[in-house]
Amino acid sequence: MIIRQADFSDIPTITLIYTQARRFMQQTGNPHQWGTVYPSQNLIEQDIAKHTCYVCCDQDREQKPSLIEGVFVFIDGEDETYAHIEDGEWLNTRPYCTIHRIAVLHPGKGIASFCLQWAYHRCHNLRIDTHVDNVIMQHVVLKNGFQYCGRIYTYDGTPRLAYQKTAELCPDRILSLISRIHSAASLFIKEELEHQGLTKLVSSHGNILWQLASQNHLSMKELAHRINRDKSTTTVLVRKLETAGYITRHTDCNDNRITYICLTAKGAQYTQAMKSISQHLIETCYQGFSKEEQLQVYLFLSDIAQNFARYEQQ
């Protein structure tokens, strides 16, 4: 999925999505939020002209407009209707961005969550509101880490439930998030390998094969150092890979005390598959990130790693 700014050629598809969204709201107990005409074509055109209307597509821009799966308005700046809030308060008063008029073509496919995550990647202080009868949207925003803050009123005076998501809420959860990302990435790789018929390997095995792919062969000592394991643990891992046919061992012709490990054809097949899987993993990991944001993530995590390295040296 990609998200891009909408243009005027997208209006027929955007109008269709909003029409279906109004029908869906009526069918799910929320007939009053958008009524029968909101948002109007004039408002859609205004959103596009202001460059605040975005569409979520399942392919790139060169594909036809029918591939648009969702639409929303993303505004960087204050919303007048958020100036007053009742029965609660905003999480902070810092500059924020707002999402309005979010709708999807096929509910239940995770498109709305994808749009919210995209917006949060661009603004770590994000606000949104929805109707009290829109239980489905309330569930979506809560699932995506927003917190209920209170009640605001739209320009026509009708109340809305207000939510906010900010990075200030959980800076102490960084290690938990890193752990979750690591587990999710391991599961991603495992499922992709199973899909290609390469099973019964764990990440440590994959690391060994990956190291061997860059060398003709490695000694047991060199391999243990590269995968950051002691020699006995490395020996156990190597033995399993050898039994499975991924690697082979041979003795140095000049020194029979040295044993070298090298890939078999089956091991080479695995590493070739891993190149494709790794690329897919990276694309999934950085979905919705700009190149600059990807670099920032890398630099921040590198700094955290260096902090721990300095601690270990103390």
Side-chain angles (χ1 to χ4, degrees):
M1 303 297 296
I2 67 162
I3 289 176
R4 60 171 175 79
Q5 282 192 341
D7 57 47
F8 289 101
S9 67
D10 297 319
I11 289 179
T13 307
I14 292 173
T15 300
L16 172 64
I17 293 175
Y18 280 137
T19 300
Q20 293 193 187
R22 289 193 295 268
R23 186 180 301 119
F24 181 74
M25 287 179 177
Q26 293 166 2
Q27 294 171 347
T28 54
N30 180 29
H32 304 297
Q33 181 172 355
W34 284 358
T36 59
V37 295
Y38 184 90
S40 67
Q41 180 162 326
N42 182 51
L43 182 55
I44 295 171
E45 291 174 352
Q46 290 179 29
D47 290 336
I48 294 174
K50 293 176 182 176
H51 306 293
T52 59
C53 184
Y54 290 80
V55 289
C56 181
C57 311
D58 60 3
Q59 293 189 38
D60 59 32
R61 183 62 187 95
E62 283 69 30
Q63 303 299 323
K64 53 188 179 181
S66 62
L67 296 175
I68 294 174
E69 292 282 348
V71 59
F72 62 96
V73 171
F74 178 70
I75 301 174
D76 184 354
E78 293 187 2
D79 187 315
E80 293 180 359
T81 65
Y82 288 177
H84 175 70
I85 186 168
E86 295 181 352
D87 299 330
E89 60 182 5
W90 295 110
L91 299 176
N92 59 51
T93 58
R94 292 190 297 106
Y96 60 88
C97 295
T98 308
I99 292 182
H100 287 304
R101 296 186 278 287
I102 184 169
V104 300
L105 189 61
H106 301 107
K109 292 179 61 177
I111 304 301
S113 290
F114 182 84
C115 294
L116 292 176
Q117 291 163 12
W118 178 92
Y120 184 68
H121 285 321
R122 277 148 185 77
C123 179
H124 286 349
N125 199 30
L126 193 60
R127 296 182 183 183
I128 192 171
D129 66 83
T130 191
H131 197 280
V132 66
D133 292 334
N134 197 341
V135 177
I136 293 175
M137 194 61 194
Q138 294 167 35
H139 171 74
V140 171
V141 296
L142 290 172
K143 182 180 71 173
N144 280 277
F146 287 77
Q147 286 199 3
Y148 174 70
C149 295
R151 187 171 66 252
I152 60 97
Y153 292 87
T154 62
Y155 288 108
D156 63 7
T158 57
R160 293 288 187 271
L161 304 181
Y163 300 82
Q164 185 174 3
K165 181 178 181 179
T166 176
E168 290 180 348
L169 291 176
C170 50
D172 56 332
R173 295 183 58 213
I174 182 65
L175 296 181
S176 174
L177 287 173
I178 291 173
S179 177
R180 285 174 56 191
I181 292 169
H182 181 267
S183 297
S186 296
L187 179 61
F188 180 100
I189 293 172
K190 177 177 178 291
E191 291 177 345
E192 289 288 317
L193 286 172
E194 289 177 350
H195 182 69
Q196 298 192 36
L198 299 168
T199 60
K200 299 181 179 179
L201 294 181
V202 298
S203 58
S204 296
H205 294 132
N207 195 10
I208 289 175
L209 298 177
W210 194 257
Q211 295 296 333
L212 291 171
S214 62
Q215 303 287 331
N216 290 329
H217 57 252
L218 288 171
S219 69
M220 191 71 76
K221 181 179 180 180
E222 291 172 326
L223 187 57
H225 175 72
R226 283 171 174 256
I227 67 172
N228 196 29
R229 295 287 192 276
D230 58 51
K231 190 173 180 180
S232 60
T233 301
T234 304
T235 300
V236 173
L237 293 169
V238 165
R239 187 178 298 123
K240 182 171 183 178
L241 286 171
E242 185 178 25
T243 301
Y246 288 100
I247 62 170
T248 186
R249 286 193 262 191
H250 65 87
T251 304
D252 188 303
C253 58
N254 297 317
D255 189 344
N256 59 14
R257 295 172 299 176
I258 301 175
T259 299
Y260 289 112
I261 316 298
C262 57
L263 290 177
T264 63
K266 185 177 180 180
Q269 177 192 358
Y270 172 93
T271 57
Q272 190 62 36
M274 275 301 299
K275 289 181 181 179
S276 173
I277 293 171
S278 295
Q279 182 60 38
H280 188 192
L281 176 64
I282 291 170
E283 291 171 355
T284 300
C285 178
Y286 287 120
Q287 197 169 50
F289 285 71
S290 67
K291 293 294 184 183
E292 292 76 14
E293 289 168 337
Q294 292 179 35
L295 178 60
Q296 284 183 333
V297 170
Y298 175 78
L299 293 175
F300 289 149
L301 291 178
S302 295
D303 288 344
I304 291 175
Q306 290 176 8
N307 288 340
F308 278 107
R310 284 193 290 267
Y311 173 81
E312 292 173 355
Q313 293 172 0
Q314 292 177 355

